[in-house]
């Protein structure tokens, strides 16, 4: 019985990266971003299934990339949707009903450390309906109103949320069964059903590779850790 399944939404265009290919296939230290993300997930030994949502037309290419990085863990690939929520829903439909815990991890967070994946999994296996990694916010953040006025928020009360986000499979299914959600992540959807979201310690290395500058930072981190060899 697979204890934990991982869903990897990788169907975004990655326009902000400007690599000319969908972001998950952009190369980071000579390998697709997706391959790094898959390796980070399957380093968690309790992950027994990986389901990737791929852009239309790139399913078989992403399947090869994922299989190559998954170290023998079973892999499924689905066609993603127009939004991240739609991509996660499509992947969720392939998760067998006997899977207890689902992790949802952005392909773009390619360098998430193993202890973050483990901490999220541990929290959900211990009974949390939802658990997300979070880090302190380094910038001072202002809230801007419709009239252009703005106010400083108390930075000490803010956290930036990363992935993988972990869920009891039933709770995630219920959240995705509700249509019309405007949440920007799965935890937000689960929260709107009234479930608490547990925060675990995130890591700045789990940052989302979004821009060219992020790619340079990720290359530097890999070189520094010796993983790029
Ligand atoms: O665009 P953004 O970086 O916020 O996307 C977060 C993740 O969601 C990425 O891994 C991206 O590939 C994925 N995504 C998706 N389907 C979409 C849009 C984004 O799987 N339609």
């Amino acid at each position: 019985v697979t204890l934990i399944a991982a869903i990897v939404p990788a169907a975004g265009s990655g326009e902000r990266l400007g690599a000319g290919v969908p972001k998950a296939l952009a190369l980071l230290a000579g390998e697709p971003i997706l391959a790094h993300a898959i390796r980070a997930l399957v380093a968690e030994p309790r992950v027994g299934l990986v389901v990737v949502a791929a852009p239309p037309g790139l399913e078989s290419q992403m399947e090869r990339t994922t299989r190559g990085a998954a170290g023998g863990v079973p892999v499924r690939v689905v066609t993603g949707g127009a939004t991240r929520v739609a991509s996660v829903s499509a992947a969720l439909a392939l998760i067998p009903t006997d899977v207890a815990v689902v992790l949802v991890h952005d392909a773009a967070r390619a360098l998430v450390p193993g202890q973050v994946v483990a901490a999220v999994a541990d929290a959900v296996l211990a009974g949390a309906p939802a658990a997300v990694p979070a880090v302190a916010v380094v910038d001072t953040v202002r809230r801007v109103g419709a009239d252009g006025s703005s106010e400083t928020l108390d930075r000490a009360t803010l956290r930036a949320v990363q992935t993988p986000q972990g869920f009891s499979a039933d709770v995630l299914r219920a959240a995705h069964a509700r249509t019309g959600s405007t949440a920007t992540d799965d935890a937000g959807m689960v929260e709107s059903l009234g479930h608490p979201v547990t925060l675990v310690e995130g890591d700045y290395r789990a940052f989302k590779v979004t821009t060219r500058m992020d790619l340079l930072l990720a290359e530097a981190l890999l070189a520094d850790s010796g993983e790029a060899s």
Side-chain angles (χ1 to χ4, degrees):
V1 177
T2 296
L3 196 54
I4 302 179
I7 288 175
V8 181
S13 64
E15 269 167 25
R16 288 167 293 180
L17 192 59
V21 290
K23 180 161 66 181
L25 293 176
L27 296 184
L28 166 56
E31 268 191 303
I33 284 175
L34 178 63
H36 292 276
I38 299 295
R39 266 208 308 275
L41 282 171
V42 300
E44 166 53 56
R46 292 167 292 184
V47 170
L49 172 67
V50 174
V51 183
V52 172
L58 290 173
E59 295 87 346
S60 47
Q61 186 176 350
M62 285 201 175
E63 183 156 357
R64 281 194 300 278
T65 298
T66 303
R67 226 175 268 292
V73 171
V75 166
R76 306 282 306 269
V77 175
V78 286
T79 309
T83 63
R84 184 184 182 280
V85 172
S87 295
V88 172
S89 286
L92 193 55
L94 266 84
I95 304 286
T97 49
D98 60 359
V99 170
V101 172
V102 178
L103 303 181
V104 183
H105 182 59
D106 290 338
R109 297 185 187 273
L111 302 187
V112 61
Q115 66 263 32
V116 174
V117 181
V120 170
D122 285 346
V124 182
L125 288 168
V132 306
V135 290
V137 173
V138 293
D139 292 313
T140 294
V141 177
R142 295 182 74 83
R143 186 207 312 272
V144 181
D147 60 356
S149 65
S150 66
E151 57 173 351
T152 302
L153 301 179
D154 178 4
R155 188 169 68 189
T157 68
L158 298 174
R159 296 292 180 275
V161 170
Q162 306 178 320
T163 73
Q165 302 193 342
F167 305 94
S168 135
D170 293 341
V171 166
L172 187 60
R173 278 199 191 88
H176 276 265
R178 288 218 324 187
T179 52
S181 173
T182 55
T184 51
D185 70 356
D186 297 278
M189 296 169 66
V190 160
E191 195 169 43
S192 69
L193 286 184
H195 296 289
V197 173
T198 299
L199 296 186
V200 305
E201 196 64 34
D203 189 300
Y204 289 108
R205 288 169 291 180
F207 72 105
K208 186 166 66 174
V209 177
T210 304
T211 64
R212 191 78 213 151
M213 189 175 81
D214 296 331
L215 207 50
L216 292 171
L217 175 59
E219 302 249 0
L221 285 168
L222 281 170
D224 189 46
S225 69
E227 276 184 53
S229 55

